Amino acid sequence: GSTSQEVLAALRHSLQRAGHAAVVDEVPGWGIAVHADLREPSAPSSPPSPLTAREREVLALVRRGGSDREIAARLGLSSKTVEKHVGALLRKTASPNRTAAVTAATELGWLDAD
């Protein structure tokens, strides 16, 4: 024997652990009432983008195959500044190279797929 309070607590815990919103109550003279949203829990969302607006611009041009020099000319920046933005992109996407950074940013939803 479990008490009804223990049963209610266990049921609440199980539903919450499964990711469902639920209210479980004892209804005197009737039994247990369960109000639960049993739809599939939504998938976890991607983390918010840590990229600055300028990094997103640089990344879009990297995706198109632009070199640091080409991107610099297009954005009116120095090649060294573009190099620093690309370095930040590699760090923020934990990528070893430019192609991997574009892939990672796209998969994370930080860059729209073309």
Side-chain angles (χ1 to χ4, degrees), residues 44-106:
S45 61
S46 298
S49 174
L51 305 181
T52 66
R54 180 61 85 185
E55 288 167 347
R56 285 191 300 275
E57 285 180 299
V58 169
L59 187 59
L61 295 171
V62 166
R63 177 175 50 191
R64 293 185 181 104
S67 67
D68 288 353
R69 183 177 292 176
E70 292 167 336
I71 294 168
R74 174 99 184 237
L75 298 178
L77 302 171
S78 73
S79 293
K80 200 67 161 165
T81 299
V82 171
E83 186 179 308
K84 292 201 178 288
H85 285 307
V86 170
L89 292 168
L90 297 177
R91 187 176 58 259
K92 289 179 180 181
T93 59
S95 300
N97 57 53
R98 296 158 75 105
T99 302
V102 169
T103 301
T106 301

